[in-house]
């Protein structure tokens, strides 16, 4: 009897101990030997530091990350794992255009996830067919192909342009612009600056560069072998450099004359960012191919390239493909984004708030500001100094922004950010600027 009681008590103790120590709630991460100064950090300790350490141990060290772990987002605000709130004027690099976790997008994803997430592109899906129809209607282009990212959209656009070029007996040279950014795959780095190519050769051949906003420079390299010219209407990574209207019009004319495919990379400018559905509409210039990504999915990874019928005719069955690109889940999210941009009148909002924001910077009469640039809610403020320290200071003041092209502060907030939030972000920026100037 005593033995049975002792056995039961011991079992009970073991069970309670296991509950307390041995088991953890489903889905919660637990560290296995994560060390910081040789002290194990238990992942139940939900701190920025703990996750930074975990990340540093396991993630490929290619991003110099900020030392915060973001855990939650709503509208234009995000919270780190310790509960600190930030106004997000970076929006995942111009991705969260309708804000974090917009109810329309969340609902569309939840409903689609419960119905059908992935089927491969061997079959048609309702969301993909509808999204393709909507994007062609909005853009005036005729055909669309969906991918998973921006770089992949550019790759597809280059392939299509080269295939069309072959039908005209051309070699496949592609002209890109100095200061451009089209992605980080091999062909997309071949369009970009030398620094991004270092260490990755052999780099794909058939790429030349010309000067942005300098038509003579483009005309000079646009010889007989050129299949395509690729340009961002507003260079994002390059420092928010806005293309001149005359430049894009001249490019269109040149491409018409020489049967060169004109590609607009609207991965950052598309889906309302600049105050029109696409930045091309500021210029009244229609490209032959246009690439999209970022704002299209409201946070889910989706890209696309659209093409005129004439160019699209060059593609034959089997020429291009993707497993995930444009799956029902992503397309349902993108349809919800387009619906939200319309319902909330976000094209108008982007124009108005962008103008307001630029005016606020102008009104500061700040001697360290060299130039205020951008279209719609794609705003760049060029300073006399490198802006990374300013961005770090802003983070400490509860605002997430971005430094690009060395001395440009890039602001690409959700299009539905409120004026109050913009004002708060501006105040934080001003305080941060004072702090940075003091330390300089
Ligand atoms: C204009 C432009 N093109 C292409 C890309 C690459 O997109 P992703 O990072 O989704 O591959 C970017 C990303 O910043 C971009 O701004």
């Amino acid at each position: 009897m005593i033995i049975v009681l002792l056995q039961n008590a011991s079992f009970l103790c073991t069970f309670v101990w296991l509950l307390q120590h041995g088991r953890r709630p489903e889905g919660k991460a637990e560290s296995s030997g994560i060390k910081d100064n040789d002290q194990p950090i238990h992942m139940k300790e939900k701190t920025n530091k703990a996750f930074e350490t975990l990340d540093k141990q396991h993630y490929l060290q290619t991003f110099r990350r900020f030392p915060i772990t973001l855990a939650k987002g709503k509208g234009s605000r995000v919270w780190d794992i310790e509960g600190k709130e930030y106004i997000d004027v970076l929006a995942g690099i111009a991705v969260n255009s309708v804000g974090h976790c917009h109810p329309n997008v969340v609902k569309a994803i939840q409903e689609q996830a419960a119905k059908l997430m992935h089927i491969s592109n061997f079959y048609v899906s309702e969301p993909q067919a509808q999204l393709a129809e909507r994007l062609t209607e909005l853009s005036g282009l005729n055909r669309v192909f969906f991918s998973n990212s921006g770089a992949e959209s550019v790759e597809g656009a280059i392939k299509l342009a080269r295939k069309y070029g072959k039908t005209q007996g051309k070699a496949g040279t592609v002209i890109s612009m100095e200061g451009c950014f089209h992605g980080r795959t091999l062909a997309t780095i071949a369009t970009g600056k030398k620094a991004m190519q270092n260490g990755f050769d052999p780099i794909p051949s058939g790429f030349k560069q010309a000067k942005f906003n300098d038509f003579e420079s483009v005309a000079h390299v646009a010889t007989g072998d050129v299949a395509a010219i690729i340009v961002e209407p507003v260079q994002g990574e390059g420092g928010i450099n806005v293309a001149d209207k005359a430049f894009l019009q001249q490019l269109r004319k040149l491409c018409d004359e020489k049967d060169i495919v004109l590609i607009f990379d609207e991965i950052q400018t598309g889906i309302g960012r600049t105050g029109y559905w696409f930045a091309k509409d500021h210029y009244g210039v229609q490209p032959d191919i246009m690439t999209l990504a970022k704002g299209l999915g409201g946070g889910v990874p989706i890209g696309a390239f659209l093409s005129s019928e004439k160019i699209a005719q060059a593609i034959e069955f089997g020429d291009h493909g993707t497993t995930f690109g444009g799956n029902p889940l992503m397309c349902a999210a993108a349809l919800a984004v387009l619906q939200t941009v319309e319902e909330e009148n976000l094209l108008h909002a982007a124009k108005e708030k962008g103008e307001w924001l630029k005016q606020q910077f102008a009104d500061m009469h700040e001697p360290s500001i060299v130039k205020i640039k951008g279209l719609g809610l794609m705003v760049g403020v060029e300073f006399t100094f490198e802006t990374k320290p300013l961005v770090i200071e802003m983070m400490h003041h509860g605002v997430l922004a971005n430094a690009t092209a060395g001395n440009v502060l890039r602001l690409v907030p959700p299009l539905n950010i409120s004026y109050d939030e913009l004002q708060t972000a501006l105040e934080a920026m001003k305080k941060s600027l004072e702090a940075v100037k003091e330390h300089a």
Side-chain angles (χ1 to χ4, degrees):
M1 177 69 173
I2 291 168
I3 291 170
V4 170
L5 273 175
L6 280 174
Q7 274 178 341
N8 280 348
S10 138
F11 171 74
L12 204 65
C13 287
T14 310
F15 181 66
V16 169
W17 188 91
L18 265 175
L19 270 183
Q20 286 175 343
H21 301 90
R23 293 249 187 93
R24 57 193 154 91
E26 289 279 321
K28 285 229 171 111
E30 189 167 26
S31 85
S32 50
I34 300 145
K35 304 255 170 133
D36 182 26
N37 298 331
D38 281 344
Q39 293 299 311
I41 293 173
H42 202 285
M43 278 299 119
K44 276 178 188 160
E45 219 187 273
K46 301 243 177 198
T47 61
N48 288 313
K49 185 72 195 159
F51 281 93
E52 187 191 356
T53 307
L54 185 61
D55 175 78
K56 281 219 166 90
Q57 285 196 337
H58 302 290
Y59 186 75
L60 188 73
Q61 291 298 291
T62 180
F63 288 102
R64 266 189 231 282
R65 306 216 211 229
F66 294 96
I68 53 172
T69 298
L70 297 179
K72 201 173 82 172
K74 188 89 201 125
S76 297
R77 287 163 197 256
V78 287
W79 287 263
D80 72 20
I81 198 128
E82 295 173 21
K84 180 172 170 171
E85 184 179 305
Y86 305 83
I87 294 182
D88 185 6
V89 291
L90 177 59
I93 324 181
V95 167
N96 305 104
S97 297
V98 296
H100 291 274
C101 303
H102 192 290
N104 289 352
V105 181
V106 172
K107 183 166 176 273
I109 292 172
Q110 283 173 339
E111 285 178 2
Q112 190 61 45
K115 222 187 322 178
L116 185 69
M117 282 193 249
H118 180 81
I119 53 170
S120 88
N121 278 298
F122 290 159
Y123 312 97
V124 178
S125 79
E126 203 180 323
Q128 192 191 87
Q130 286 170 347
L131 182 62
E133 180 190 37
R134 191 74 192 109
L135 286 175
T136 53
E137 275 169 9
L138 290 172
S139 67
L141 289 162
N142 307 105
R143 293 197 178 267
V144 58
F145 182 89
F146 293 107
S147 60
N148 308 286
S149 68
E152 221 186 301
S153 308
V154 175
E155 290 266 353
I158 291 171
K159 277 181 74 180
L160 175 56
R162 281 187 166 169
K163 191 77 201 293
Y164 174 79
K166 296 286 178 234
T167 65
Q168 311 302 305
K170 288 184 177 186
T173 304
V174 176
I175 300 177
S176 62
M177 304 299 147
E178 286 176 14
C180 73
F181 182 79
H182 300 296
R184 292 292 199 142
T185 58
L186 282 169
T188 54
I189 61 173
T191 66
K193 54 180 184 240
K194 284 277 171 289
M196 280 196 324
Q197 300 173 4
N198 285 342
F200 300 112
D201 51 317
I203 299 294
S205 59
F207 294 89
K208 285 183 188 169
Q209 275 207 334
K211 287 194 168 60
F212 185 65
N213 270 341
D214 181 343
F215 178 70
E216 287 315 313
S217 157
V218 182
H220 183 69
V221 288
T223 46
D225 61 343
V226 171
I229 295 175
I230 182 164
V231 61
E232 295 153 87
V234 183
Q235 291 187 329
E237 299 295 309
I240 317 291
N241 307 316
V242 182
D244 297 335
K245 192 167 190 171
F247 179 61
L248 295 189
Q249 287 173 339
Q250 284 167 315
L251 288 186
R252 179 68 275 173
K253 192 159 172 283
L254 176 78
C255 289
D256 288 342
E257 284 164 8
K258 299 200 169 192
D259 208 1
I260 294 171
V261 178
L262 182 60
I263 306 171
F264 279 3
D265 181 345
E266 294 240 20
I267 283 164
Q268 198 160 146
T269 52
I271 316 296
R273 171 62 50 196
T274 68
Y276 283 99
W277 278 109
F278 310 103
K280 73 182 177 69
D281 300 328
H282 282 276
Y283 297 89
V285 175
Q286 183 73 335
D288 301 300
I289 299 179
M290 176 172 74
T291 57
L292 297 174
K294 291 191 183 276
L296 176 60
V300 302
I302 185 169
F305 64 90
L306 290 105
S307 165
S308 69
E309 190 61 41
K310 178 181 143 189
I311 308 299
Q313 284 301 315
I315 279 287
E316 290 167 278
F317 288 117
D319 271 351
H320 197 52
T322 171
T323 299
F324 288 118
N327 82 11
L329 191 67
M330 305 307 149
C331 291
L335 280 166
V337 168
L338 299 183
Q339 178 205 335
T340 306
V341 169
E342 274 184 332
E343 276 175 10
E344 298 187 8
N345 204 6
L346 294 183
L347 303 184
H348 178 71
K351 261 184 233 151
E352 218 178 61
K353 287 171 193 164
E355 284 313 310
W356 181 86
L357 196 53
K358 284 193 280 188
Q359 192 56 50
Q360 299 304 303
F361 281 108
D363 291 347
M364 281 170 64
H365 302 293
E366 166 59 42
S368 63
I369 292 180
V370 178
K371 204 171 176 187
I372 300 154
K373 35 194 186 169
L375 275 183
L377 263 178
M378 188 171 176
V379 173
V381 185
E382 191 176 323
F383 286 86
T384 51
F385 52 81
E386 295 259 321
T387 44
K388 187 79 189 268
L390 177 64
V391 166
I392 293 170
E393 194 62 35
M394 285 172 72
M395 180 191 74
H396 294 308
H397 281 86
V399 174
L400 302 184
N402 170 246
T404 191
N407 56 355
V408 177
L409 177 70
R410 172 168 45 175
L411 307 169
V412 280
L415 308 181
N416 52 8
I417 190 169
S418 69
Y419 279 102
D420 277 354
E421 286 165 327
L422 279 176
Q423 188 69 55
T424 309
L426 272 168
E427 292 311 318
M429 196 286 295
K430 285 178 194 166
K431 279 189 206 139
S432 307
L433 185 58
E434 289 315 310
V436 167
K437 284 200 297 191
E438 242 171 61
H439 295 130

